[in-house]
Amino acid sequence: MKHLLKDILHKASKVAQSAEVFMFASEETPVAFEANRLKSLQSKESRSIALRIFKEGRIGFASCNKPEDIDSLVQAAVETAQFGAPANFELPAPAAFPYVEIYDPEVEKISLERMISLGEEMVSALTDHTPEVLCEASISHNSISIIIANSSGLEASYSKSAFSVGIEGTVIHGSDMLFVGESESSCRPVRDTTNILNTVRRQLDWAKTHARVPTGKLPVIFAPDGVASALIAPLMAAFNGKVVLEGASPLGNKLGQQLFDKKLHLYDDATIAYRPSSRPFDDEGVPSRRLPLIEAGVPQNFLYDLKTAALAHTRTTGHGVRGGGLPSPMPSAFAFNNGDVLLDSMIADIKEGLFIELVMGATQGNILGGDFSGNVLLGYKIENGRITGRVKDTMVFGNVYELLKNITAIGSDGKWLGGRLYAPSIYCPAVSVSSK
Amino acid sequence: MPHIEDAVKELASKLKEHKANYLEAHLEDSVSSYITYRGKVLESIGKSASMGGNIRALVRGGWGFVSFNSLDNIDERIKLAVKEAELAGKGESHLAEIPITVVKARPHSRSNPVDIPLAHKKELLDGYNALIWNTPKLKTSNIGYGDSYKKSTFLNSEGSFIQQERSDMTLGMSAIASDGNQVQQANLSLGNPGDFSAMQNLDDAVKEMAERALGLLAAPQAKGGEYTVVLDPILAGVFVHEAFGHLSEADFVYENERMRELMVLGKKFGRPELNIVDGAAVPDLRGSFKYDDEGTPATKTYLIKEGVLVGRLHSRETAARMGEKPTGNARAVSYRFPPIVRMTNTYIEPGKTTFEEMTADIKEGVYARNWYGGTTSMEMFTFSAGEAFMIRNGKIAELVRPVVLTGNVFETLQHIDAIGIDLGMNQGGGCGKGGQSPLPVSNGSPHIRIRKCLVGGK
């Protein structure tokens, strides 16, 4: 790969003032269970080569996965550079990268047979608990490697391993459907499924009976998955340097102000060991670091890549992320502080309210303004300090900025969700709820 | 490295040599280009070229799937797919019969939108961006244009050999207005199977979008609760896709006894005026094609006819397992994924009620138009309007903030009590399922009226 990289850089440097090559390769092996049975095994390999050039003051970009046709790649980058955005920054020179543990050779050693038996164990544990549950499970390992080089002399690479285990269960009675599930991922093998199974069994237990909540303002505990599905999208947009630069972020001119509850802290951290979201440098070759976003309720920083930082007259924070095209500022992993209140004590504190695990459709509204509104796909009524059953036909509605101004408690049950978010339960004193 | 043509020849002979119940291969060669704007300036412009393929094997009901970028070692990849299928398979294989089809692509059967000079595309988008920025109080705007052209080859161990070409084009715009305290946005999403002229002459729609964002700043929030709701063709199209289309996908039904009972053909789902169709054989839309990714010819399938469930969407496997006919709905977003059951062009057929008749007897209701998005859990759905008006005493009244509508699919379909005459298709959306997104689809409807729909609000 390195030979090819230098070859492309050499060819591009002949026709452009600056050039950068980013190469990505991945191998993934997912094992899938459907309807409680092993359904498929897959192996997927994929690679891509991206070229960014500065030519006559403009940015050109092209990508391909054909190492045998790099002339076309260079030509396409030159073609786009005629119309590209102004090249207002310099490609980074070599730098010292933090040591981030993200590779474990044990991951590749887990056999297909072992992955299959992990799935079988999970399915049989859940069908023992609830015979009518139909499970879909997935066990997957993958490895990726990244190389970046540019005409400022930078050349850097890393390899990362990842292992993920997840299970979703469906229980149907007439037209009443219940969806439960949990997953875990790590750069090391996930060998123990106890936590996953305990969570799903608890969901199944709590959803056995149905309950109704009234329409109105109620105390609500958002479980970590509830935080992820209802509250996070607006914050991810608001801390994006690009949104700030455009003046569309509600936090734009409010760094240093007490906007959120003092109990709330939020970091973006790409250096946590063995997290699939971690990496020593971003997709532009800028060193990773732990960046405070909210400290004691006060916004501290925004996320920048090279180009956005140059436009905003600031420095990149190492958050240039590629999603197939040019880099753009994106979180690596949002991590809230864990709280000190047990979930049970939060529930015990509520006379009538909701515990919400999953909201559907909350991110379809006016995200930039902080509004969310969605259907409670998995949530339970709390009555006199106890969970009394699953609620249905219920919507929650609110504004993240208003809600997080005043938090009753933060749970001690923080966990990683989907690889890019660490969140505890958050207990809000009054949230708008509509129900039938 | 071998060319696609060589790989095709090798595959044609090798697919029949292996001991699997069924084997298939996909090879793809594609190009794409995109231009994005943020605010007043062009933000990025790029081109991409991609080639790759996959092998899928079926042994005793278990599937193996191997995807790759390099066309080297094809035989090893077939062996790996078969080995994986053997490991996974513990039952019986079932695939519905389809005709063996040999179709060689006529070269350039579709025009390649990636070949249109970037200068032409940029000139058009510059014009739209200038129009957006003629509107005062705008905070920012987004424009995203993308096009692609794909040549695909499909082969299977039954002897089918199908080459197809496919073009796709999308244009999404949003205007974001702010008055200092709050931020509101309006969107416009368009798409088509590769016709650049359909992206031209949109000045009025672009202006209207920018003004809409501004108008929302002054709009109050609707009060949450149950309303009679009238949906415009775009939002009703999202509704039929989310609320019913996904439920019609047989892969969620075929192995689930209780879903089979719930979705039994012949069951009444709506009033006699309700007819819902899905079909890639409906021509010239983003979800149109001749053969699906298992080589099954495209069809036009009635899902609901006169209020009664009469059909569902199938792959060869789900059709065989349910004893029904394959419908040509096995689709993959690219060679990186196996085909799964997907929608194509999904719509409610026109009825007889005019818009005026529909709103006339509504004392207090909501007229919801346009869309941000939608999602479903099969039983429950949510979809969000891009703009909304109150209906008061039969008349369209004040603008309110965009609303999120939610409900139970089964109840809501029964509550559709009026269907308009003005079918409109929305091609601006892409569908996501099983990690495969965005798949080109279209959806549509005439105006419809739904009684007792839950609207989110204060």
Side-chain angles (χ1 to χ4, degrees):
Chain A
M1 250 162 79
K2 286 205 168 154
H3 183 72
L4 178 67
L5 188 84
K6 291 206 162 139
D7 204 14
I8 300 170
L9 204 55
H10 178 71
K11 285 192 174 170
S13 296
K14 279 188 184 165
V15 293
Q17 284 75 51
S18 301
E20 170 202 64
V21 183
F22 179 87
M23 291 171 65
F24 166 91
S26 84
E27 281 180 38
E28 188 189 358
T29 308
V31 171
F33 285 73
E34 278 177 31
N36 298 340
R37 284 198 301 270
L38 178 61
K39 181 72 183 179
S40 73
L41 305 183
Q42 304 187 9
S43 53
K44 300 166 138 191
E45 63 168 48
S46 129
R47 66 180 177 216
S48 73
I49 308 164
L51 172 64
R52 174 162 67 170
I53 60 168
F54 296 173
K55 187 173 168 61
E56 283 145 30
R58 292 185 178 276
I59 301 170
F61 178 82
S63 66
C64 75
N65 62 12
K66 301 174 177 179
E68 70 284 1
D69 194 12
I70 58 175
D71 289 338
S72 301
L73 178 73
V74 174
Q75 197 187 326
V78 168
E79 186 192 345
T80 60
Q82 296 170 70
F83 312 103
N88 61 341
F89 60 95
E90 306 239 318
L91 294 171
F97 299 120
Y99 178 67
V100 184
E101 285 175 301
I102 46 173
Y103 183 78
D104 183 350
E106 291 298 310
V107 165
E108 278 171 44
K109 292 184 194 155
I110 306 265
S111 67
L112 279 174
E113 286 78 5
R114 177 67 194 123
M115 292 167 72
I116 292 169
S117 65
L118 267 177
E120 286 169 346
E121 284 163 31
M122 288 194 297
V123 170
S124 79
L126 291 187
T127 49
D128 282 351
H129 179 272
T130 302
E132 67 267 35
V133 71
L134 276 181
C135 299
E136 287 191 10
S138 110
I139 303 93
S140 175
H141 73 67
N142 79 45
S143 61
I144 66 164
S145 56
I146 302 276
I147 307 185
I148 186 168
N150 68 32
S151 52
S152 301
L154 173 80
E155 188 181 319
S157 65
Y158 66 82
S159 292
K160 179 153 70 179
S161 55
F163 196 90
S164 65
V165 176
I167 188 156
E168 286 173 24
T170 311
V171 181
I172 299 178
H173 292 281
S175 75
D176 170 43
M177 298 182 196
L178 169 67
F179 300 91
V180 291
E182 177 68 334
S183 64
E184 253 180 63
S185 64
S186 169
C187 297
R188 314 182 94 165
V190 178
R191 293 193 170 96
D192 181 2
T193 57
T194 312
N195 287 341
I196 295 178
L197 292 171
N198 284 345
T199 299
V200 179
R201 280 188 287 241
R202 197 254 302 139
Q203 291 170 338
L204 288 165
D205 288 340
W206 283 1
K208 261 187 191 138
T209 51
H210 284 182
R212 278 168 183 278
V213 285
T215 293
K217 289 230 171 188
L218 291 177
V220 169
I221 302 168
F222 289 93
D225 290 279
V227 172
S229 55
L231 309 180
I232 284 305
L235 294 179
M236 285 201 172
F239 280 103
N240 188 322
K242 205 179 263 191
V243 179
V244 173
L245 179 68
E246 290 159 348
S249 168
L251 303 179
N253 45 8
K254 294 180 181 157
L255 286 188
Q257 297 182 21
Q258 190 74 48
L259 292 191
F260 301 102
D261 191 286
K262 282 189 176 154
K263 291 187 276 299
L264 200 71
H265 307 264
L266 176 68
Y267 297 85
D268 187 88
D269 195 346
T271 66
I272 303 168
Y274 296 114
R275 290 306 312 158
S277 51
S278 293
R279 28 106 168 139
F281 52 84
D282 75 354
D283 293 349
E284 300 185 295
V286 175
S288 294
R289 61 169 159 141
R290 174 180 163 93
L291 185 74
L293 298 177
I294 301 174
E295 280 185 336
V298 179
Q300 303 290 329
N301 286 291
F302 300 121
L303 307 176
Y304 288 101
D305 64 351
L306 288 167
K307 179 168 170 250
T308 313
L311 289 169
H313 307 292
T314 180
R315 291 168 65 104
T316 174
T317 52
H319 288 91
V321 174
R322 296 171 193 256
L326 283 161
S328 186
M330 291 274 282
S332 56
F334 265 19
F336 283 99
N337 57 304
N338 210 359
D340 52 7
V341 183
L342 287 172
L343 177 59
D344 286 348
S345 357
M346 292 195 278
I347 293 171
D349 188 55
I350 293 176
K351 190 161 186 309
E352 184 175 45
L354 267 177
F355 178 66
I356 295 179
E357 288 211 73
L358 199 58
V359 178
M360 179 173 71
T363 59
Q364 294 164 25
N366 175 20
I367 289 180
L368 284 174
D371 293 343
F372 69 91
S373 174
N375 191 307
V376 179
L377 197 56
L378 187 59
Y380 320 92
K381 183 178 189 184
I382 302 170
E383 210 172 338
N384 298 319
R386 287 191 320 116
I387 299 280
T388 54
R390 180 186 177 205
V391 299
K392 295 186 67 178
D393 298 307
T394 303
M395 288 188 85
V396 279
F397 173 86
N399 184 286
V400 171
Y401 299 104
E402 286 169 28
L403 226 56
L404 296 183
K405 227 177 250 174
N406 178 16
I407 298 169
T408 306
I410 296 183
S412 55
D413 55 347
K415 67 170 192 175
W416 284 98
L417 299 132
R420 291 195 168 272
L421 176 68
Y422 179 88
S425 288
I426 296 180
Y427 172 6
C428 302
V431 181
S432 293
V433 176
S434 317
S435 71
K436 276 199 177 184
Chain B
M1 190 167 121
H3 280 284
I4 277 207
E5 291 76 15
D6 303 325
V8 164
K9 275 185 203 139
E10 190 182 350
L11 278 165
S13 61
K14 295 243 162 97
L15 283 184
K16 293 179 188 172
E17 289 171 9
H18 288 267
K19 280 190 185 164
N21 299 123
Y22 173 77
L23 269 165
E24 69 182 21
H26 296 89
L27 296 173
E28 266 177 37
D29 202 353
S30 68
V31 286
S32 60
S33 75
Y34 69 89
I35 305 176
T36 66
Y37 290 67
R38 270 182 93 112
K40 289 181 181 167
V41 295
L42 182 145
E43 170 166 80
S44 67
I45 181 163
K47 282 185 116 171
S48 177
S50 165
M51 181 170 69
N54 66 55
I55 310 282
R56 193 164 69 126
L58 177 64
V59 177
R60 294 188 301 274
W63 289 99
F65 178 83
V66 174
S67 73
F68 44 85
N69 291 137
S70 160
L71 300 180
D72 294 323
N73 303 325
I74 290 279
D75 200 39
E76 290 304 310
R77 298 185 198 281
I78 300 175
K79 279 182 192 152
L80 177 58
V82 173
K83 186 191 144 202
E84 287 176 345
E86 282 171 344
L87 257 170
K90 295 188 170 64
E92 278 177 47
S93 297
H94 300 274
L95 284 183
E97 297 255 330
I98 56 165
I100 293 167
T101 306
V102 176
V103 183
K104 306 226 163 145
R106 288 174 293 123
H108 314 296
S109 63
R110 300 207 69 95
S111 68
N112 179 353
V114 183
D115 283 344
I116 299 166
L118 288 172
H120 290 192
K121 296 170 188 170
K122 182 173 175 287
E123 190 189 344
L124 181 74
L125 300 175
D126 279 344
Y128 292 153
N129 212 29
L131 275 178
I132 293 174
W133 282 96
N134 277 342
T135 312
K137 277 199 197 171
L138 271 201
K139 209 67 192 173
T140 187
S141 64
N142 288 299
I143 298 182
Y145 168 87
D147 53 31
S148 65
Y149 171 78
K150 178 159 96 179
K151 283 189 279 192
S152 66
T153 304
F154 168 84
L155 303 96
N156 69 18
S157 52
E158 296 165 353
S160 281
F161 174 95
I162 300 170
Q163 286 184 319
Q164 295 187 91
E165 297 182 5
R166 176 175 190 96
S167 299
D168 193 51
M169 188 177 282
T170 55
L171 174 60
M173 296 187 247
S174 63
I176 294 149
S178 171
D179 59 6
N181 292 315
Q182 49 145 349
V183 179
Q184 288 291 332
Q185 62 174 304
N187 300 339
L188 181 63
S189 300
L190 302 158
N192 69 65
D195 176 13
F196 190 63
S197 68
M199 297 301 187
Q200 293 165 321
N201 304 314
L202 299 170
D203 289 8
D204 291 344
V206 173
K207 265 188 255 179
E208 187 274 328
M209 171 191 76
E211 281 156 17
R212 196 190 329 145
L214 206 62
L216 288 173
L217 284 176
Q221 185 76 50
K223 194 166 167 289
E226 260 185 25
Y227 289 94
T228 296
V229 172
V230 174
L231 309 185
D232 82 333
I234 290 177
L235 190 55
V238 176
F239 168 74
V240 71
H241 175 101
E242 292 302 335
F244 188 72
H246 282 293
L247 203 57
S248 298
E249 294 167 341
D251 53 346
F252 190 67
V253 178
Y254 78 116
E255 292 187 306
N256 187 331
E257 276 310 313
R258 294 186 182 192
M259 274 303 290
R260 288 175 81 136
E261 286 165 26
L262 185 64
M263 295 298 290
V264 67
L265 299 185
K267 185 170 171 171
K268 192 170 172 295
F269 264 81
R271 303 188 187 204
E273 301 80 28
L274 185 65
N275 294 291
I276 301 179
V277 173
D278 178 277
V282 179
D284 301 325
L285 295 165
R286 283 186 74 213
S288 309
F289 49 79
K290 288 226 164 72
Y291 300 93
D292 78 358
D293 293 323
E294 295 185 320
T296 303
T299 59
K300 177 179 164 183
T301 307
Y302 272 91
L303 305 175
I304 288 183
K305 202 163 200 173
E306 293 170 2
V308 174
L309 186 71
V310 294
R312 67 182 109 245
L313 308 178
H314 281 299
S315 65
R316 289 183 69 184
E317 183 176 35
T318 63
R321 294 281 297 273
M322 296 191 75
E324 293 170 11
K325 283 199 172 133
T327 55
N329 286 81
R331 305 179 67 190
V333 75
S334 80
Y335 64 86
R336 293 176 204 273
F337 299 93
I340 56 174
V341 178
R342 302 300 292 261
M343 281 174 259
T344 60
N345 308 303
T346 315
Y347 58 93
I348 297 176
E349 287 191 328
K352 291 177 182 152
T353 314
T354 64
F355 183 70
E356 290 70 28
E357 289 165 347
M358 213 175 273
T359 53
D361 70 338
I362 301 175
K363 205 161 165 254
E364 187 189 31
V366 173
Y367 177 39
R369 292 165 49 99
N370 268 306
W371 72 290
Y372 274 131
T375 185
T376 177
S377 75
M378 301 294 166
E379 180 196 11
M380 306 303 292
F381 66 87
T382 72
F383 52 103
S384 45
E387 63 180 320
F389 300 85
M390 295 307 296
I391 302 171
R392 298 193 189 280
N393 301 316
K395 295 275 187 309
I396 303 302
E398 77 273 16
L399 179 75
V400 290
R401 296 258 192 99
V403 292
V404 173
L405 308 168
T406 189
N408 176 300
V409 174
F410 305 97
E411 288 172 15
T412 305
L413 285 168
Q414 303 276 2
H415 290 159
I416 298 176
D417 73 341
I419 296 174
I421 50 178
D422 49 351
L423 173 65
M425 295 302 293
N426 165 24
Q427 303 203 72
C431 175
K433 176 180 171 186
Q436 299 196 42
S437 178
L439 187 78
V441 295
S442 73
N443 47 61
S445 173
H447 276 90
I448 60 171
R449 183 174 63 200
I450 306 174
R451 300 284 184 191
K452 295 186 187 173
C453 191
L454 193 58
V455 172
K458 274 186 182 158

